[in-house]
Amino acid sequence: MKSKKLRLFLVSFAFVIGLSWNLSTETTEAFSEQVIQQGAVGDDVIELQARLQYIGFYNGKIDGVFGWRTYWAVRNFQYEFGLEVDGFVGETTKQALERSTEYDQQYVNQQINEGQDFTHYGGQDRDQEGQETQAPSPTAVNVPNGFSQNDIQLMAQAVHGEARGEPYEGKVAVAAVILNRIESSTFPDTISGVIYEPLAFTAVADGQINMQPDESSREAVMDAINGWDPSAGATYYFNPDTATSDWIWSRPQIKKIGKHIFCY
Amino acid sequence: MIRWISIAVLSIALIGTVVWGYQEHQDKNAVLVHAENSYQRAFHDLTYRIDLLHDKISTVMATNTPERLSPQMADIWKLTSEAHADVGQLPLSLLPFNKTQEFLTNIGEYSYRVAIRELEDEPLSEDELNYLAELYEQANEVRRDLRGVQHTVLNEGLRWMDVEVALATNEPGDNTIIDGFQTVETNAESYIEAGDQFGVTASTEDEKELQLDGQEITEDQAAQMIRDRFNFDESVNIQVSESLDGSQLQTYNISFENGDTRGFAEMSKKGGHVITFMMNRDLQDAEISLHDGMNRAAERLEELGYEDMEPMETTQYERVGVYSFVRTEDDVYYRPDRIQVKVALDNGEITALSARDYLVNQFSRDDVDFERNLSEEEALDLVNPALEVEETRMAVIKNDLDEEVLTYEFLGRANDSTYRVHINADDGFEESIVRLKQSEEIFQ
């Protein structure tokens, strides 16, 4: 009777231990298998930045985006530890990092989730409160050089207002026209200047620009900024069915995409 | 009794409506006046600045010492840029006014170049003085025309709101303001060419027609090439249309639909080069890494026959990886010859590619021999000493004058920022300094 109870206790004890061990390996498991490189985002980058900061190679913000500062930190780390200096975080670099640093995932995630400014240097006092934290989301995003998320939002609104219902390439082309105008000497030099130029876009004149853009308009804007231009350098476009200006017809026409004719 | 009550109620309702209507009318008027006022301000600013510009050009012509000339030129540059911004605030985008704007840009460009050059060693030449005299005349003409329009506007109380309405409804018949601006534009058309010899004619039109190498292909061939390239069977619907007459490069525009993927490709009529393609479908969560995506992109480029392409920039935007590859030759990076590749990170498919820059630059480049007079150490000495240079390579870039130059490219750090500096390998000129930025915090 007594031994049975003991056995039951032992079994359940072992079970609990096993469970918690399982849990702990799940939460502290280091890096996934991917090679991390410049431009990457996500949990692995958070861990990378935290570990690099732990031993003082990285003093920027742990934001989950592999930017230039992280890049230089990785290269310095690779140099100091006698690894190949290439800025790619592969198997050997990860192992060297794991050997030389600790990563308190719980602490880091908690700080990020609470939106606090914090550092993760080794040997520094931290409150160890054992509560589960959910995975943090990065606090920064990649943006193309020279553009802010807000610029992209504004352009997406303009594209959505102007080219809703057009094929995807038509949306990219409209976004490209906005960018081509910024480059052109005969138009204003800023995104807002081009978009809000009086009479330049009907969607601006009738307020449709204030609608929330859909996902595909946003993607179209990103594609245009990243170098795709289905309009082939156009600075004007018009809908031949509704165009009210005669002058617009006199421009050299490049091509028709969806309902719009694009021209120089 | 009921009758009296209803009369009372109805009269109150009537009075209420009248009051409400009057207030609405007042509000609308206030908004109109407000809009009109900002147009008026932009217009009067414009005329004032053109007038000032004209004055400044004449002052420059009478200035002798380089120390005075530089700031005067910088002033002109500032004025043209302000005038340019004024034009952008007027409802002129449906009116042909681009020649005048080009004229302004050309003055600005020219004055900027003179302002930054070593005037001690290289004073204004005879030709340039003649050019200035010409600009002076032309600016005078624009000034006089605009002041004329301004006089009419003030005298007759003309409103820009009417211009807006006339242009929006395409009845610019007898609008004095529109007529005035058209006169300015007609005059401006005649005086663009003069700046050619100083390389400042920033004409956006009349660009030379582009030609790629190869055999002319037909629409059917183009469709078949797309089928072969993406392994489409006959069930995939492909539509081909030709580019229009004004296009600098004659192309086929091809759209296709394969299941839930919609795609678009642009192919040159000559040679059947795929200039760009993009496929659009709903993406799942990212499964493969940015790094794997890069390897796939590199493989694909090689399959397509683009050799010696090196990744220059790799960036993950949520579910896609965007890669910029440039051509290398003898360890020199040809930055103008770039190809953009987009990879869906859910299954590693190449969803978009743009080789426009690559093709256009490849085929329009004449054989060039770049001079290299500087060693890497000499070039490094020309970089700001505060910059901690980490990486060095040779790169061909397009400089401010839109010419290709061979440079030493240095990547370096200073004050927590990363910079890319290009030093001309021939004469050591610091061609460009760019602060590299890659991420932005998420605003909550």
Side-chain angles (χ1 to χ4, degrees):
Chain A
M1 183 69 192
K2 206 178 174 186
S3 65
K4 220 175 186 180
K5 229 178 185 173
L6 188 71
R7 209 156 71 199
L8 191 73
F9 174 71
L10 280 179
V11 169
S12 52
F13 184 71
F15 181 70
V16 168
I17 294 280
L19 195 73
S20 57
W21 184 78
N22 242 336
L23 268 180
S24 65
T25 48
E26 228 167 64
T27 47
T28 57
E29 193 185 2
F31 296 119
S32 69
E33 301 210 331
Q34 66 160 330
V35 176
I36 319 168
Q37 71 175 35
Q38 196 177 21
V41 295
D43 292 351
D44 276 349
V45 179
I46 291 179
E47 178 170 351
L48 173 68
Q49 290 174 328
R51 283 188 187 272
L52 285 168
Q53 191 168 82
Y54 192 86
I55 41 169
F57 281 93
Y58 178 72
N59 54 11
K61 212 176 155 194
I62 298 175
D63 58 9
V65 178
F66 196 140
W68 283 101
R69 286 178 82 172
T70 317
Y71 177 73
W72 299 125
V74 167
R75 288 179 65 106
N76 276 349
F77 177 84
Q78 288 174 330
Y79 176 77
E80 295 288 337
F81 279 71
L83 309 167
E84 192 194 344
V85 183
D86 59 2
F88 290 129
V89 184
E91 208 42 53
T92 43
T93 306
K94 279 184 209 163
Q95 277 165 10
L97 269 170
E98 279 160 23
R99 273 200 306 277
S100 57
T101 63
E102 282 171 37
Y103 174 46
D104 187 344
Q105 190 181 26
Q106 218 167 16
Y107 171 76
V108 170
N109 289 2
Q110 198 182 330
Q111 301 303 314
I112 292 177
N113 284 334
E114 286 168 8
Q116 291 174 4
D117 275 333
F118 71 104
T119 50
H120 189 69
Y121 289 104
Q124 172 192 309
D125 278 347
R126 288 195 291 276
D127 298 335
Q128 297 282 358
E129 278 169 45
Q131 43 174 281
E132 282 298 311
T133 52
Q134 73 265 47
S137 42
T139 55
V141 288
N142 277 317
V143 286
N145 222 2
F147 292 85
S148 153
Q149 296 156 79
N150 297 337
D151 300 331
I152 293 162
Q153 167 76 13
L154 182 60
M155 275 181 73
Q157 284 179 214
V159 169
H160 184 68
E162 283 284 311
R164 235 171 324 133
E166 288 291 304
Y168 181 70
E169 60 269 21
K171 292 182 187 176
V172 182
V174 168
V177 165
I178 296 178
L179 297 172
N180 292 339
R181 285 191 175 188
I182 296 172
E183 290 299 312
S184 158
S185 62
T186 58
F187 289 95
D189 304 325
T190 59
I191 293 172
S192 50
V194 166
I195 290 177
Y196 287 108
E197 190 177 10
L199 295 184
F201 295 102
T202 46
V204 175
D206 63 14
Q208 290 193 62
I209 188 176
N210 297 320
M211 288 190 305
Q212 214 28 252
D214 58 11
E215 200 47 46
S216 105
S217 303
R218 224 182 280 270
E219 266 173 52
V221 169
M222 288 305 281
D223 277 353
I225 293 176
N226 281 317
W228 275 270
D229 183 1
S231 81
T235 44
Y236 293 93
Y237 64 84
F238 63 98
N239 183 336
D241 299 331
T242 57
T244 49
S245 160
D246 291 332
W247 171 73
I248 196 83
W249 282 98
S250 70
R251 313 293 307 168
Q253 299 179 358
I254 305 169
K255 64 171 74 169
K256 191 172 179 188
I257 302 176
K259 290 195 190 71
H260 290 139
I261 292 179
F262 290 82
C263 39
Y264 292 116
Chain B
M1 181 64 179
I2 289 173
R3 201 167 96 194
W4 286 112
I5 290 176
S6 34
I7 288 178
V9 169
L10 285 178
S11 353
I12 290 171
L14 181 66
I15 293 170
T17 318
V18 169
V19 171
W20 176 80
Y22 180 70
Q23 272 171 352
E24 284 293 295
H25 175 74
Q26 292 289 79
D27 285 353
K28 184 184 141 234
N29 268 353
V31 172
L32 281 181
V33 167
H34 189 78
E36 175 65 30
N37 288 352
S38 35
Y39 281 156
Q40 291 286 350
R41 194 205 56 216
F43 171 58
H44 295 304
D45 274 352
L46 175 66
T47 50
Y48 170 72
R49 283 182 177 131
I50 299 286
D51 205 325
L52 204 54
L53 179 69
H54 173 244
D55 272 1
K56 283 278 171 194
I57 298 177
S58 80
T59 327
V60 164
M61 290 161 65
T63 306
N64 190 30
T65 54
E67 302 90 82
R68 283 306 307 153
L69 197 53
S70 253
Q72 306 262 24
M73 281 299 196
D75 258 356
I76 293 181
W77 175 49
K78 167 174 152 268
L79 276 172
T80 54
S81 132
E82 284 171 341
H84 198 68
D86 291 331
V87 175
Q89 291 176 47
L90 290 170
L92 298 172
S93 45
L94 289 177
L95 198 70
F97 201 55
N98 28 9
K99 290 289 175 202
T100 317
Q101 275 168 295
E102 268 169 36
F103 169 67
L104 284 176
T105 308
N106 290 350
I107 299 185
E109 183 92 337
Y110 176 70
S111 57
Y112 174 72
R113 285 192 198 166
V114 174
I116 58 168
R117 90 175 183 213
E118 291 285 347
L119 285 164
E120 292 275 6
D121 308 333
E122 206 185 331
L124 289 179
S125 67
E126 196 65 28
D127 278 348
E128 285 178 308
L129 285 173
N130 288 340
Y131 179 50
L132 270 175
E134 212 167 315
L135 286 180
Y136 174 74
E137 273 311 309
Q138 294 163 354
N140 187 29
E141 230 169 291
V142 178
R143 177 197 68 85
R144 206 178 44 227
D145 290 345
L146 279 179
R147 282 293 194 199
V149 178
Q150 189 186 25
H151 173 77
T152 329
V153 167
L154 288 173
N155 244 20
E156 299 175 15
L158 297 179
R159 298 190 317 157
W160 273 90
M161 291 306 281
D162 296 334
V163 175
E164 193 192 297
V165 171
L167 284 173
T169 54
N170 199 28
E171 284 160 0
D174 54 349
N175 190 303
T176 322
I177 299 182
I178 295 178
D179 289 349
F181 273 82
Q182 263 161 355
T183 316
V184 177
E185 176 71 5
T186 323
N187 290 339
E189 270 167 32
S190 59
Y191 42 68
I192 292 298
E193 288 74 26
D196 263 345
Q197 50 179 322
F198 309 109
V200 294
T201 310
S203 181
T204 45
E205 297 162 39
D206 328 315
E207 273 182 35
K208 62 174 179 200
E209 210 167 88
L210 296 165
Q211 288 292 0
L212 302 186
D213 287 353
Q215 288 280 312
E216 191 99 5
I217 58 165
T218 66
E219 277 188 27
D220 291 342
Q221 280 172 320
Q224 192 53 46
M225 282 166 94
I226 289 294
R227 266 184 221 286
D228 294 346
R229 185 165 198 178
F230 296 108
N231 293 324
F232 290 156
D233 54 32
E234 290 302 314
S235 67
V236 177
N237 182 21
I238 296 185
Q239 280 167 338
V240 183
S241 67
E242 283 179 75
S243 58
L244 302 168
D245 291 343
S247 182
Q248 281 163 15
L249 183 65
Q250 292 303 312
T251 58
Y252 291 117
N253 295 292
I254 303 150
S255 51
F256 47 88
E257 226 172 317
N258 181 22
D260 52 359
T261 304
R262 266 197 42 88
F264 168 81
E266 192 183 5
M267 189 185 274
S268 66
K269 279 189 189 173
K270 263 200 159 178
H273 301 276
V274 174
I275 297 163
T276 169
F277 78 81
M278 43 188 14
M279 291 193 275
N280 193 241
R281 62 172 166 85
D282 285 335
L283 298 177
Q284 310 301 314
D285 283 338
E287 291 286 336
I288 71 167
S289 69
L290 186 67
H291 186 73
D292 292 341
M294 177 178 86
N295 292 338
R296 290 190 198 212
E299 265 170 44
R300 185 79 179 126
L301 284 182
E302 220 170 289
E303 279 169 26
L304 293 174
Y306 296 112
E307 279 163 11
D308 303 319
M309 302 301 289
E310 285 288 325
M312 282 307 285
E313 267 169 51
T314 62
T315 318
Q316 180 173 355
Y317 300 106
E318 289 180 45
R319 293 164 182 183
V320 297
V322 175
Y323 309 89
S324 177
F325 288 82
V326 304
R327 191 174 67 86
T328 59
E329 194 181 308
D330 306 329
D331 286 332
V332 177
Y333 287 70
Y334 282 72
R335 281 188 167 271
D337 300 358
R338 61 170 196 162
I339 296 183
Q340 316 287 113
V341 186
K342 187 164 116 177
V343 177
L345 294 180
D346 55 353
N347 63 3
E349 186 188 13
I350 315 291
T351 54
L353 183 146
S354 170
R356 186 185 305 278
D357 294 334
Y358 182 93
L359 291 169
V360 167
N361 286 308
Q362 279 279 297
F363 288 109
S364 61
R365 180 179 294 128
D366 306 319
D367 277 335
V368 267
D369 253 344
F370 293 112
E371 296 278 333
R372 191 190 306 201
N373 281 329
L374 261 63
S375 70
E376 189 180 320
E377 285 70 38
E378 286 170 317
L380 198 55
D381 282 343
L382 296 167
V383 177
N384 186 329
L387 204 67
E388 219 178 294
V389 172
E390 303 266 1
E391 283 180 49
T392 309
R393 58 167 80 95
M394 301 292 296
V396 169
I397 60 163
K398 271 204 176 135
N399 66 7
D400 290 344
L401 305 178
D402 219 27
E403 287 162 358
E404 290 192 338
V405 286
L406 179 68
T407 64
Y408 286 97
E409 176 176 310
F410 298 106
L411 279 182
R413 291 188 295 167
N415 345 309
D416 287 341
S417 296
T418 301
Y419 301 87
R420 188 176 63 215
V421 179
H422 289 276
I423 303 286
N424 193 314
D426 181 28
D427 58 9
F429 184 70
E430 205 170 10
E431 297 281 358
S432 89
I433 308 103
V434 187
R435 174 170 176 261
L436 301 172
K437 177 187 156 196
Q438 205 168 37
S439 69
E440 183 183 51
E441 68 264 42
I442 294 172
F443 300 106
Q444 300 279 338

